[in-house]
Structure formats: C-alpha cells, structure tokens
PDB file of all heavy atoms in Angstrom:
ATOM      1  N   GLY Z  23      -5.495  18.805   4.703  1.00 86.00           N
ATOM      2  CA  GLY Z  23      -4.761  17.762   5.402  1.00 86.00           C
ATOM      3  C   GLY Z  23      -5.649  16.722   6.053  1.00 86.00           C
ATOM      4  O   GLY Z  23      -5.360  15.523   5.987  1.00 86.00           O
ATOM      5  N   LEU Z  24      -6.722  17.165   6.696  1.00 86.00           N
ATOM      6  CA  LEU Z  24      -7.594  16.234   7.419  1.00 86.00           C
ATOM      7  C   LEU Z  24      -8.766  15.775   6.563  1.00 86.00           C
ATOM      8  O   LEU Z  24      -8.852  14.610   6.173  1.00 86.00           O
ATOM      9  CB  LEU Z  24      -8.088  16.888   8.710  1.00 86.00           C
ATOM     10  CG  LEU Z  24      -7.006  17.167   9.759  1.00 86.00           C
ATOM     11  CD1 LEU Z  24      -7.584  17.922  10.945  1.00 86.00           C
ATOM     12  CD2 LEU Z  24      -6.344  15.870  10.221  1.00 86.00           C
ATOM     13  N   LEU Z  25      -9.675  16.710   6.230  1.00 84.00           N
ATOM     14  CA  LEU Z  25     -10.854  16.309   5.462  1.00 84.00           C
ATOM     15  C   LEU Z  25     -10.481  15.816   4.069  1.00 84.00           C
ATOM     16  O   LEU Z  25     -10.895  14.738   3.640  1.00 84.00           O
ATOM     17  CB  LEU Z  25     -11.828  17.480   5.364  1.00 84.00           C
ATOM     18  CG  LEU Z  25     -12.772  17.690   6.550  1.00 84.00           C
ATOM     19  CD1 LEU Z  25     -13.666  18.891   6.300  1.00 84.00           C
ATOM     20  CD2 LEU Z  25     -13.601  16.450   6.816  1.00 84.00           C
ATOM     21  N   ASN Z  26      -9.679  16.614   3.348  1.00 82.00           N
ATOM     22  CA  ASN Z  26      -9.341  16.248   1.978  1.00 82.00           C
ATOM     23  C   ASN Z  26      -8.110  15.355   1.908  1.00 82.00           C
ATOM     24  O   ASN Z  26      -7.618  15.057   0.820  1.00 82.00           O
ATOM     25  CB  ASN Z  26      -9.112  17.503   1.130  1.00 82.00           C
ATOM     26  CG  ASN Z  26      -9.242  17.235  -0.343  1.00 82.00           C
ATOM     27  OD1 ASN Z  26     -10.097  16.471  -0.771  1.00 82.00           O
ATOM     28  ND2 ASN Z  26      -8.371  17.840  -1.139  1.00 82.00           N
ATOM     29  N   GLY Z  27      -7.618  14.926   3.066  1.00 84.00           N
ATOM     30  CA  GLY Z  27      -6.469  14.039   3.104  1.00 84.00           C
ATOM     31  C   GLY Z  27      -6.838  12.705   3.719  1.00 84.00           C
ATOM     32  O   GLY Z  27      -7.331  11.798   3.051  1.00 84.00           O
ATOM     33  N   SER Z  28      -6.638  12.585   5.023  1.00 87.00           N
ATOM     34  CA  SER Z  28      -6.841  11.291   5.681  1.00 87.00           C
ATOM     35  C   SER Z  28      -8.299  10.847   5.656  1.00 87.00           C
ATOM     36  O   SER Z  28      -8.603   9.669   5.430  1.00 87.00           O
ATOM     37  CB  SER Z  28      -6.331  11.359   7.129  1.00 87.00           C
ATOM     38  OG  SER Z  28      -6.846  12.487   7.802  1.00 87.00           O
ATOM     39  N   VAL Z  29      -9.252  11.767   5.847  1.00 89.00           N
ATOM     40  CA  VAL Z  29     -10.668  11.375   5.889  1.00 89.00           C
ATOM     41  C   VAL Z  29     -11.169  10.983   4.509  1.00 89.00           C
ATOM     42  O   VAL Z  29     -11.729   9.893   4.307  1.00 89.00           O
ATOM     43  CB  VAL Z  29     -11.532  12.517   6.477  1.00 89.00           C
ATOM     44  CG1 VAL Z  29     -13.020  12.180   6.339  1.00 89.00           C
ATOM     45  CG2 VAL Z  29     -11.187  12.736   7.942  1.00 89.00           C
ATOM     46  N   VAL Z  30     -10.983  11.882   3.531  1.00 88.00           N
ATOM     47  CA  VAL Z  30     -11.593  11.640   2.230  1.00 88.00           C
ATOM     48  C   VAL Z  30     -10.976  10.444   1.519  1.00 88.00           C
ATOM     49  O   VAL Z  30     -11.672   9.656   0.866  1.00 88.00           O
ATOM     50  CB  VAL Z  30     -11.520  12.910   1.348  1.00 88.00           C
ATOM     51  CG1 VAL Z  30     -10.182  13.032   0.644  1.00 88.00           C
ATOM     52  CG2 VAL Z  30     -12.644  12.922   0.332  1.00 88.00           C
ATOM     53  N   PHE Z  31      -9.674  10.249   1.650  1.00 90.00           N
ATOM     54  CA  PHE Z  31      -9.073   9.109   0.957  1.00 90.00           C
ATOM     55  C   PHE Z  31      -9.335   7.800   1.688  1.00 90.00           C
ATOM     56  O   PHE Z  31      -9.348   6.736   1.061  1.00 90.00           O
ATOM     57  CB  PHE Z  31      -7.578   9.343   0.718  1.00 90.00           C
ATOM     58  CG  PHE Z  31      -7.321  10.091  -0.555  1.00 90.00           C
ATOM     59  CD1 PHE Z  31      -7.043  11.442  -0.531  1.00 90.00           C
ATOM     60  CD2 PHE Z  31      -7.394   9.456  -1.783  1.00 90.00           C
ATOM     61  CE1 PHE Z  31      -6.829  12.153  -1.702  1.00 90.00           C
ATOM     62  CE2 PHE Z  31      -7.180  10.138  -2.964  1.00 90.00           C
ATOM     63  CZ  PHE Z  31      -6.898  11.500  -2.928  1.00 90.00           C
ATOM     64  N   GLY Z  32      -9.561   7.865   3.016  1.00 89.00           N
ATOM     65  CA  GLY Z  32     -10.026   6.664   3.695  1.00 89.00           C
ATOM     66  C   GLY Z  32     -11.384   6.228   3.158  1.00 89.00           C
ATOM     67  O   GLY Z  32     -11.612   5.048   2.864  1.00 89.00           O
ATOM     68  N   LEU Z  33     -12.290   7.193   2.981  1.00 91.00           N
ATOM     69  CA  LEU Z  33     -13.599   6.901   2.389  1.00 91.00           C
ATOM     70  C   LEU Z  33     -13.461   6.460   0.929  1.00 91.00           C
ATOM     71  O   LEU Z  33     -14.184   5.572   0.465  1.00 91.00           O
ATOM     72  CB  LEU Z  33     -14.495   8.141   2.468  1.00 91.00           C
ATOM     73  CG  LEU Z  33     -14.948   8.569   3.862  1.00 91.00           C
ATOM     74  CD1 LEU Z  33     -15.574   9.963   3.821  1.00 91.00           C
ATOM     75  CD2 LEU Z  33     -15.933   7.561   4.435  1.00 91.00           C
ATOM     76  N   TRP Z  34     -12.543   7.079   0.214  1.00 90.00           N
ATOM     77  CA  TRP Z  34     -12.346   6.774  -1.203  1.00 90.00           C
ATOM     78  C   TRP Z  34     -11.909   5.321  -1.399  1.00 90.00           C
ATOM     79  O   TRP Z  34     -12.454   4.588  -2.219  1.00 90.00           O
ATOM     80  CB  TRP Z  34     -11.332   7.748  -1.774  1.00 90.00           C
ATOM     81  CG  TRP Z  34     -11.027   7.613  -3.227  1.00 90.00           C
ATOM     82  CD1 TRP Z  34      -9.800   7.422  -3.786  1.00 90.00           C
ATOM     83  CD2 TRP Z  34     -11.950   7.681  -4.325  1.00 90.00           C
ATOM     84  NE1 TRP Z  34      -9.894   7.373  -5.155  1.00 90.00           N
ATOM     85  CE2 TRP Z  34     -11.206   7.530  -5.507  1.00 90.00           C
ATOM     86  CE3 TRP Z  34     -13.324   7.859  -4.407  1.00 90.00           C
ATOM     87  CZ2 TRP Z  34     -11.796   7.543  -6.764  1.00 90.00           C
ATOM     88  CZ3 TRP Z  34     -13.918   7.868  -5.660  1.00 90.00           C
ATOM     89  CH2 TRP Z  34     -13.162   7.707  -6.814  1.00 90.00           C
ATOM     90  N   TYR Z  35     -10.918   4.882  -0.633  1.00 92.00           N
ATOM     91  CA  TYR Z  35     -10.449   3.501  -0.776  1.00 92.00           C
ATOM     92  C   TYR Z  35     -11.478   2.507  -0.248  1.00 92.00           C
ATOM     93  O   TYR Z  35     -11.575   1.378  -0.750  1.00 92.00           O
ATOM     94  CB  TYR Z  35      -9.098   3.322  -0.071  1.00 92.00           C
ATOM     95  CG  TYR Z  35      -7.972   4.025  -0.801  1.00 92.00           C
ATOM     96  CD1 TYR Z  35      -7.178   4.970  -0.179  1.00 92.00           C
ATOM     97  CD2 TYR Z  35      -7.719   3.750  -2.147  1.00 92.00           C
ATOM     98  CE1 TYR Z  35      -6.162   5.624  -0.856  1.00 92.00           C
ATOM     99  CE2 TYR Z  35      -6.706   4.398  -2.829  1.00 92.00           C
ATOM    100  CZ  TYR Z  35      -5.934   5.332  -2.182  1.00 92.00           C
ATOM    101  OH  TYR Z  35      -4.938   5.982  -2.866  1.00 92.00           O
ATOM    102  N   TYR Z  36     -12.251   2.920   0.738  1.00 91.00           N
ATOM    103  CA  TYR Z  36     -13.355   2.080   1.215  1.00 91.00           C
ATOM    104  C   TYR Z  36     -14.373   1.885   0.096  1.00 91.00           C
ATOM    105  O   TYR Z  36     -14.843   0.759  -0.154  1.00 91.00           O
ATOM    106  CB  TYR Z  36     -13.995   2.748   2.430  1.00 91.00           C
ATOM    107  CG  TYR Z  36     -15.158   1.983   3.038  1.00 91.00           C
ATOM    108  CD1 TYR Z  36     -14.939   0.789   3.730  1.00 91.00           C
ATOM    109  CD2 TYR Z  36     -16.457   2.467   2.931  1.00 91.00           C
ATOM    110  CE1 TYR Z  36     -16.010   0.100   4.298  1.00 91.00           C
ATOM    111  CE2 TYR Z  36     -17.521   1.780   3.492  1.00 91.00           C
ATOM    112  CZ  TYR Z  36     -17.293   0.601   4.178  1.00 91.00           C
ATOM    113  OH  TYR Z  36     -18.348  -0.090   4.732  1.00 91.00           O
ATOM    114  N   ALA Z  37     -14.712   2.970  -0.614  1.00 91.00           N
ATOM    115  CA  ALA Z  37     -15.660   2.873  -1.727  1.00 91.00           C
ATOM    116  C   ALA Z  37     -15.097   2.010  -2.855  1.00 91.00           C
ATOM    117  O   ALA Z  37     -15.823   1.196  -3.448  1.00 91.00           O
ATOM    118  CB  ALA Z  37     -15.989   4.271  -2.252  1.00 91.00           C
ATOM    119  N   ILE Z  38     -13.813   2.153  -3.156  1.00 91.00           N
ATOM    120  CA  ILE Z  38     -13.189   1.340  -4.208  1.00 91.00           C
ATOM    121  C   ILE Z  38     -13.221  -0.137  -3.834  1.00 91.00           C
ATOM    122  O   ILE Z  38     -13.502  -1.001  -4.672  1.00 91.00           O
ATOM    123  CB  ILE Z  38     -11.747   1.817  -4.470  1.00 91.00           C
ATOM    124  CG1 ILE Z  38     -11.763   3.171  -5.188  1.00 91.00           C
ATOM    125  CG2 ILE Z  38     -10.977   0.797  -5.315  1.00 91.00           C
ATOM    126  CD1 ILE Z  38     -10.395   3.777  -5.394  1.00 91.00           C
ATOM    127  N   ASN Z  39     -12.933  -0.447  -2.559  1.00 89.00           N
ATOM    128  CA  ASN Z  39     -12.953  -1.848  -2.120  1.00 89.00           C
ATOM    129  C   ASN Z  39     -14.342  -2.464  -2.255  1.00 89.00           C
ATOM    130  O   ASN Z  39     -14.476  -3.659  -2.543  1.00 89.00           O
ATOM    131  CB  ASN Z  39     -12.479  -1.950  -0.666  1.00 89.00           C
ATOM    132  CG  ASN Z  39     -10.979  -1.808  -0.531  1.00 89.00           C
ATOM    133  OD1 ASN Z  39     -10.242  -1.899  -1.511  1.00 89.00           O
ATOM    134  ND2 ASN Z  39     -10.512  -1.555   0.677  1.00 89.00           N
ATOM    135  N   LEU Z  40     -15.394  -1.662  -2.060  1.00 88.00           N
ATOM    136  CA  LEU Z  40     -16.759  -2.185  -2.105  1.00 88.00           C
ATOM    137  C   LEU Z  40     -17.370  -2.144  -3.508  1.00 88.00           C
ATOM    138  O   LEU Z  40     -18.108  -3.057  -3.891  1.00 88.00           O
ATOM    139  CB  LEU Z  40     -17.657  -1.401  -1.145  1.00 88.00           C
ATOM    140  CG  LEU Z  40     -17.365  -1.566   0.345  1.00 88.00           C
ATOM    141  CD1 LEU Z  40     -18.319  -0.712   1.165  1.00 88.00           C
ATOM    142  CD2 LEU Z  40     -17.465  -3.018   0.779  1.00 88.00           C
ATOM    143  N   LEU Z  41     -17.088  -1.083  -4.262  1.00 87.00           N
ATOM    144  CA  LEU Z  41     -17.747  -0.879  -5.557  1.00 87.00           C
ATOM    145  C   LEU Z  41     -16.868  -1.220  -6.750  1.00 87.00           C
ATOM    146  O   LEU Z  41     -17.385  -1.445  -7.850  1.00 87.00           O
ATOM    147  CB  LEU Z  41     -18.191   0.587  -5.690  1.00 87.00           C
ATOM    148  CG  LEU Z  41     -19.169   1.119  -4.648  1.00 87.00           C
ATOM    149  CD1 LEU Z  41     -19.411   2.606  -4.876  1.00 87.00           C
ATOM    150  CD2 LEU Z  41     -20.491   0.353  -4.703  1.00 87.00           C
ATOM    151  N   GLY Z  42     -15.558  -1.249  -6.552  1.00 87.00           N
ATOM    152  CA  GLY Z  42     -14.647  -1.347  -7.677  1.00 87.00           C
ATOM    153  C   GLY Z  42     -14.226   0.041  -8.122  1.00 87.00           C
ATOM    154  O   GLY Z  42     -14.932   1.034  -7.889  1.00 87.00           O
ATOM    155  N   ALA Z  43     -13.078   0.136  -8.786  1.00 87.00           N
ATOM    156  CA  ALA Z  43     -12.521   1.438  -9.137  1.00 87.00           C
ATOM    157  C   ALA Z  43     -13.400   2.205 -10.115  1.00 87.00           C
ATOM    158  O   ALA Z  43     -13.609   3.409  -9.962  1.00 87.00           O
ATOM    159  CB  ALA Z  43     -11.113   1.253  -9.723  1.00 87.00           C
ATOM    160  N   VAL Z  44     -13.916   1.527 -11.139  1.00 85.00           N
ATOM    161  CA  VAL Z  44     -14.679   2.230 -12.177  1.00 85.00           C
ATOM    162  C   VAL Z  44     -15.978   2.788 -11.617  1.00 85.00           C
ATOM    163  O   VAL Z  44     -16.320   3.962 -11.811  1.00 85.00           O
ATOM    164  CB  VAL Z  44     -14.953   1.301 -13.374  1.00 85.00           C
ATOM    165  CG1 VAL Z  44     -15.873   1.986 -14.383  1.00 85.00           C
ATOM    166  CG2 VAL Z  44     -13.648   0.900 -14.052  1.00 85.00           C
ATOM    167  N   ARG Z  45     -16.738   1.969 -10.891  1.00 85.00           N
ATOM    168  CA  ARG Z  45     -18.019   2.433 -10.337  1.00 85.00           C
ATOM    169  C   ARG Z  45     -17.807   3.573  -9.338  1.00 85.00           C
ATOM    170  O   ARG Z  45     -18.544   4.563  -9.344  1.00 85.00           O
ATOM    171  CB  ARG Z  45     -18.754   1.285  -9.666  1.00 85.00           C
ATOM    172  CG  ARG Z  45     -19.306   0.238 -10.622  1.00 85.00           C
ATOM    173  CD  ARG Z  45     -19.966  -0.892  -9.856  1.00 85.00           C
ATOM    174  NE  ARG Z  45     -21.126  -0.418  -9.118  1.00 85.00           N
ATOM    175  CZ  ARG Z  45     -21.708  -1.109  -8.132  1.00 85.00           C
ATOM    176  NH1 ARG Z  45     -21.201  -2.287  -7.746  1.00 85.00           N
ATOM    177  NH2 ARG Z  45     -22.767  -0.638  -7.517  1.00 85.00           N
ATOM    178  N   ALA Z  46     -16.800   3.438  -8.476  1.00 87.00           N
ATOM    179  CA  ALA Z  46     -16.540   4.500  -7.498  1.00 87.00           C
ATOM    180  C   ALA Z  46     -16.153   5.798  -8.201  1.00 87.00           C
ATOM    181  O   ALA Z  46     -16.580   6.890  -7.807  1.00 87.00           O
ATOM    182  CB  ALA Z  46     -15.444   4.064  -6.536  1.00 87.00           C
ATOM    183  N   SER Z  47     -15.341   5.697  -9.251  1.00 85.00           N
ATOM    184  CA  SER Z  47     -14.859   6.900  -9.923  1.00 85.00           C
ATOM    185  C   SER Z  47     -16.000   7.705 -10.537  1.00 85.00           C
ATOM    186  O   SER Z  47     -15.952   8.934 -10.577  1.00 85.00           O
ATOM    187  CB  SER Z  47     -13.835   6.538 -11.004  1.00 85.00           C
ATOM    188  OG  SER Z  47     -14.451   5.908 -12.110  1.00 85.00           O
ATOM    189  N   TRP Z  48     -17.057   7.024 -10.999  1.00 82.00           N
ATOM    190  CA  TRP Z  48     -18.143   7.743 -11.666  1.00 82.00           C
ATOM    191  C   TRP Z  48     -18.938   8.629 -10.714  1.00 82.00           C
ATOM    192  O   TRP Z  48     -19.569   9.592 -11.137  1.00 82.00           O
ATOM    193  CB  TRP Z  48     -19.062   6.757 -12.397  1.00 82.00           C
ATOM    194  CG  TRP Z  48     -18.530   6.492 -13.768  1.00 82.00           C
ATOM    195  CD1 TRP Z  48     -17.509   5.657 -14.103  1.00 82.00           C
ATOM    196  CD2 TRP Z  48     -18.948   7.113 -14.986  1.00 82.00           C
ATOM    197  NE1 TRP Z  48     -17.265   5.701 -15.450  1.00 82.00           N
ATOM    198  CE2 TRP Z  48     -18.139   6.584 -16.024  1.00 82.00           C
ATOM    199  CE3 TRP Z  48     -19.923   8.037 -15.307  1.00 82.00           C
ATOM    200  CZ2 TRP Z  48     -18.278   6.968 -17.354  1.00 82.00           C
ATOM    201  CZ3 TRP Z  48     -20.068   8.427 -16.639  1.00 82.00           C
ATOM    202  CH2 TRP Z  48     -19.249   7.895 -17.639  1.00 82.00           C
ATOM    203  N   PHE Z  49     -18.894   8.357  -9.431  1.00 84.00           N
ATOM    204  CA  PHE Z  49     -19.554   9.236  -8.473  1.00 84.00           C
ATOM    205  C   PHE Z  49     -18.930  10.623  -8.486  1.00 84.00           C
ATOM    206  O   PHE Z  49     -19.613  11.620  -8.215  1.00 84.00           O
ATOM    207  CB  PHE Z  49     -19.472   8.645  -7.059  1.00 84.00           C
ATOM    208  CG  PHE Z  49     -20.534   7.627  -6.763  1.00 84.00           C
ATOM    209  CD1 PHE Z  49     -20.333   6.290  -7.074  1.00 84.00           C
ATOM    210  CD2 PHE Z  49     -21.726   7.998  -6.170  1.00 84.00           C
ATOM    211  CE1 PHE Z  49     -21.312   5.346  -6.807  1.00 84.00           C
ATOM    212  CE2 PHE Z  49     -22.714   7.057  -5.892  1.00 84.00           C
ATOM    213  CZ  PHE Z  49     -22.502   5.726  -6.222  1.00 84.00           C
ATOM    214  N   THR Z  50     -17.623  10.711  -8.796  1.00 81.00           N
ATOM    215  CA  THR Z  50     -16.945  11.999  -8.715  1.00 81.00           C
ATOM    216  C   THR Z  50     -17.421  12.974  -9.792  1.00 81.00           C
ATOM    217  O   THR Z  50     -17.175  14.177  -9.683  1.00 81.00           O
ATOM    218  CB  THR Z  50     -15.420  11.835  -8.827  1.00 81.00           C
ATOM    219  OG1 THR Z  50     -15.069  11.350 -10.135  1.00 81.00           O
ATOM    220  CG2 THR Z  50     -14.899  10.870  -7.776  1.00 81.00           C
TER     221      THR Z  50
END
C-alpha cells in the first residue's frame, strides 16, 4: 500500500515525466 503503492508510483511517474515512458521502462 505505501512503498509499492503511493511511494513507488510517485517515483515511477516522476521518472516517466523526466525520461519518457520507454527509457523509464527499461530500468525495470
């Protein structure tokens, strides 16, 4: 709920906004 919810997806969308969806996805 917290780490894998609000925290991780906040970081995820932050990374997408800065890197773009494709570049961010490759980190996973």
Side-chain angles (χ1 to χ4, degrees):
L24 294 175
L25 277 180
N26 200 38
S28 50
V29 172
V30 83
F31 273 101
L33 292 168
W34 182 236
Y35 289 123
Y36 180 71
I38 288 175
N39 284 345
L40 293 179
L41 300 176
V44 174
R45 289 178 64 196
S47 71
W48 273 79
F49 277 88
T50 66

